[in-house]
Amino acid sequence: MLRHDSRSENQLRNVEIETNVMKYSEGSVLITFGDTKVLCSATVEERVPKFIRGKGTGWIAAEYQMLPRATQTRNMRESTKGKVSGRTMEIQRLIGRSLRAVIDLTLLGERSIIVDCDVLQADGGTRTASITGAFVAVQLAIQELMRKNIIKKNPVKDYLAAISVGILPSGECVLDLDYKEDVAALVDMNLVMTGSGRFVEIQGTGEEATFSGEELNTLLFYGKSGIETLIAKQKEVLLVSKRQETSQEKKEVLIATRNKGKAKEFAAIFAEKGFTVKTLLDYPDLPDVEETGKTFEENARLKAETIAQIVQGPVLADDSGLIVDALLGQPGIYSARFAGPNKSDAANNAKLLHELTGIATEKRTARYHCTLVLAEPNKESLVVSGELEGTIGTIPQGENGFGYDSLFYIPSEKKTAAELSEDQKNRISHRAKAIEALRGQWKS
Ligand SMILES: O=c1nc[nH]c2c1ncn2[C@H]1C[C@H](O)[C@@H](COP(=O)(O)OP(=O)(O)OP(=O)(O)O)O1
Ligand SMILES: [Mg+2]
């Protein structure tokens, strides 16, 4: 076994970031890396240190401290000793410097954010955990300032996280050393990096040992991948905490779609019911969910349940498509990817016309299908669907709508879906019918 806790060489410890854990701080975070636990609290003060006063720019500083029993034996508090150690001083300056690298101090205005990083339990990597947690605490404090309209523009230029890497006595390069590994390590390195993959600081030392350029590259590579994971985690928790605040204030539904046409229809239909609609287009940090299901329901479930689990709130997803009888139900769940993975309405329509070449009008019957899944964490999902009957035309007609609308002729309206006004389509569409079915079941 390579590592005493059976991690692989490039595996982080279990990382948790709990937000808003303190009542009075503008932003607070409890960050955990295995047995290392750091409490980070960000305070906003309407003043700046003397040396920048009157310049209109802000300041960010950090303090770092270990609780007496953060370690195996009790360490006297530095306040009792009456002296801040060199190590503490160095670490708190590193934290402050790192945060200032990604925050535009002029946009902060003449105010300070002070981050207190208190190590509750130390099992290696406390300074890097402090930086990773402090960044989230500062972001939360800034979100608060923006919500209160105290600052207009977000001063956060990039994400920021830190991690340790090192070389074990076995010669193996590893990511995220715990204390046991750290004391034995031949080489010990702390990396601070941004979301765009740039370095803020590299602290690397051979402990009575040396390391090669090749080993350095491996360490940087492991560190970079660890930091990417940490930043994805930061994005996730920040998004959840932001959504919890906004959804408390407003009636808002999150729809797990990136399709602009759908988004517009949902917004119009839900507006009548007093809801605002947000989609994945509003949250670019949320992942793309692969549609690996074999039915509309499976795909809609995948989209809704994956995103609901991440945002820890209710999420609606739509999986829809065109079912053409002469094509034995195709394109069906593959409607968006009918002409290939690069999703283009024009290419899909061209392919549909091509496949139907020579098929007589009365044999060109089709229907739009929509399955909606409403998912909430730890609840059974609601599943509803709706359909709209039509036939496939031979030339595109109409400018409205999206997808296959200009080829989808609706006999009852004597128009294609693209010739209907937005309102008309939203009254009769498969999507509208599904939403109507949902309404009866959805208590909110
Ligand atoms: O009212 C409609 N009018 C025209 N075309 C429509 C409609 N409703 C679905 N369709 C077509 C478009 C797309 O080719 C496929 C949906 O595929 P589907 O995977 O559900 O959506 P998508 O990938 O575009 O967005 P997302 O998965 O992010 O919701 O069916
Ligand atoms: Mg899709």
Side-chain angles (χ1 to χ4, degrees):
M1 192 155 305
L2 172 62
R3 301 179 78 169
H4 72 88
D5 58 0
S6 70
R7 275 186 293 155
S8 63
E9 62 274 24
N10 58 354
Q11 191 182 349
L12 291 170
R13 286 174 285 179
N14 183 36
V15 180
E16 308 271 353
I17 307 176
E18 204 185 326
T19 56
N20 299 321
V21 291
M22 291 167 81
K23 179 174 175 176
Y24 302 114
S25 321
E26 281 73 33
S28 62
V29 158
L30 177 62
I31 188 162
T32 307
F33 280 73
D35 284 333
T36 289
K37 289 182 201 295
V38 184
L39 184 62
C40 307
S41 147
T43 299
V44 178
E45 287 187 348
E46 289 299 318
R47 59 189 135 90
V48 289
K50 244 194 230 128
F51 69 93
I52 49 165
R53 220 163 278 167
K55 294 194 175 132
T57 119
W59 187 245
I60 296 180
E63 289 188 13
Y64 168 98
Q65 188 181 264
M66 268 212 243
L67 284 180
R69 274 317 292 273
T71 44
Q72 278 170 336
T73 53
R74 187 173 186 275
N75 274 309
M76 202 193 284
R77 291 175 200 268
E78 292 186 343
S79 61
T80 308
K81 285 190 209 152
K83 186 168 160 283
V84 176
S85 73
R87 175 180 178 274
T88 298
M89 201 65 113
E90 181 218 330
I91 292 176
Q92 56 196 28
R93 290 175 67 185
L94 167 67
I95 302 168
R97 200 159 63 228
S98 300
L99 292 168
R100 292 193 297 274
V102 291
I103 292 167
D104 185 335
L105 296 175
T106 57
L107 288 178
L108 198 56
E110 269 210 39
R111 58 178 60 81
S112 307
I113 300 180
I114 299 138
V115 197
D116 292 294
C117 298
D118 285 272
V119 179
L120 309 187
Q121 192 165 277
D123 187 32
T126 63
R127 76 181 69 192
T128 49
S130 296
I131 293 169
T132 305
F135 176 76
V136 177
V138 169
Q139 274 259 41
L140 290 169
I142 286 173
Q143 280 178 7
E144 178 86 8
L145 285 171
M146 292 189 56
R147 201 173 40 249
K148 290 186 181 154
N149 249 324
I150 296 170
I151 55 176
K152 304 273 177 293
K153 211 170 155 219
N154 193 343
V156 181
K157 296 183 284 189
D158 205 343
Y159 275 78
L160 179 86
I163 197 68
S164 75
V165 286
I167 303 180
L168 299 182
S170 62
E172 197 74 40
C173 294
V174 292
L175 176 69
D176 188 20
L177 289 76
D178 65 12
Y179 184 70
K180 196 168 173 186
E181 290 176 324
D182 186 80
V183 287
L186 305 176
V187 175
D188 182 10
M189 190 172 290
N190 294 302
L191 297 176
V192 186
M193 290 182 76
T194 69
S196 49
R198 294 177 67 81
F199 293 98
V200 181
E201 187 135 344
I202 303 178
Q203 303 183 319
T205 28
E207 303 283 352
E208 290 160 28
T210 59
F211 53 104
S212 68
E214 210 171 306
E215 286 168 326
L216 175 61
N217 284 338
T218 305
L219 292 174
L220 292 179
F221 182 74
Y222 286 178
K224 194 167 179 204
S225 82
I227 283 180
E228 279 166 7
T229 306
L230 294 175
I231 288 179
K233 191 114 196 164
Q234 290 175 325
K235 286 183 176 170
E236 208 173 291
V237 298
L238 282 164
L239 193 94
V240 172
S241 87
K242 196 167 172 186
R243 271 198 54 77
Q244 280 166 350
E245 278 154 16
T246 51
S247 56
Q248 277 164 13
E249 291 159 16
K250 297 181 214 144
K251 280 170 91 182
E252 195 183 282
V253 243
L254 176 58
I255 302 175
T257 181
R258 284 202 160 79
N259 181 315
K260 291 200 178 97
K262 285 186 192 176
K264 205 169 158 201
E265 293 187 8
F266 278 119
I269 300 170
F270 275 104
E272 285 179 13
K273 305 177 189 348
F275 281 87
T276 40
V277 160
K278 292 274 184 215
T279 69
L280 301 184
L281 300 165
D282 301 301
Y283 296 102
D285 290 340
L286 282 171
D288 264 325
V289 180
E290 241 196 292
E291 295 176 24
T292 52
K294 292 196 176 60
T295 60
F296 289 113
E297 179 178 334
E298 279 175 26
N299 282 334
R301 257 184 206 280
L302 276 172
K303 292 187 265 192
E305 289 170 3
T306 310
I307 303 295
Q309 205 48 46
I310 297 174
V311 304
Q312 286 296 307
V315 171
L316 186 66
D318 165 310
D319 200 56
S320 47
L322 180 66
I323 298 168
V324 181
D325 294 323
L327 302 179
L328 306 172
Q330 293 298 312
I333 60 162
Y334 302 105
S335 296
R337 311 160 259 170
F338 193 31
N342 287 337
K343 288 195 186 174
S344 137
D345 286 347
N348 288 338
N349 283 320
K351 172 150 183 183
L352 178 64
L353 282 181
H354 179 76
E355 299 277 321
L356 290 175
T357 313
I359 308 263
T361 316
E362 66 276 13
K363 294 216 168 105
R364 296 170 79 101
T365 51
R367 66 207 53 80
Y368 272 143
H369 179 98
C370 169
T371 294
L372 294 180
V373 168
L374 178 72
E376 279 184 74
N378 315 318
K379 264 198 192 174
E380 271 298 310
S381 297
L382 280 178
V383 185
V384 292
S385 50
E387 290 196 335
L388 175 65
E389 295 292 330
T391 62
I392 305 303
T394 49
I395 40 163
Q397 289 182 60
E399 303 292 326
N400 302 331
F402 68 101
Y404 297 94
D405 280 345
S406 61
L407 289 176
F408 190 82
Y409 181 79
I410 307 162
S412 59
E413 305 292 314
K414 300 197 167 59
K415 280 179 180 169
T416 69
E419 289 173 318
L420 296 177
S421 72
E422 211 179 295
D423 275 1
Q424 286 169 322
K425 184 181 171 193
N426 288 342
R427 244 172 275 138
I428 61 165
S429 76
H430 48 314
R431 196 157 288 110
K433 285 177 191 156
I435 294 174
E436 205 45 48
L438 185 68
R439 210 150 91 111
Q441 302 187 39
W442 183 18
K443 304 278 166 288
S444 84

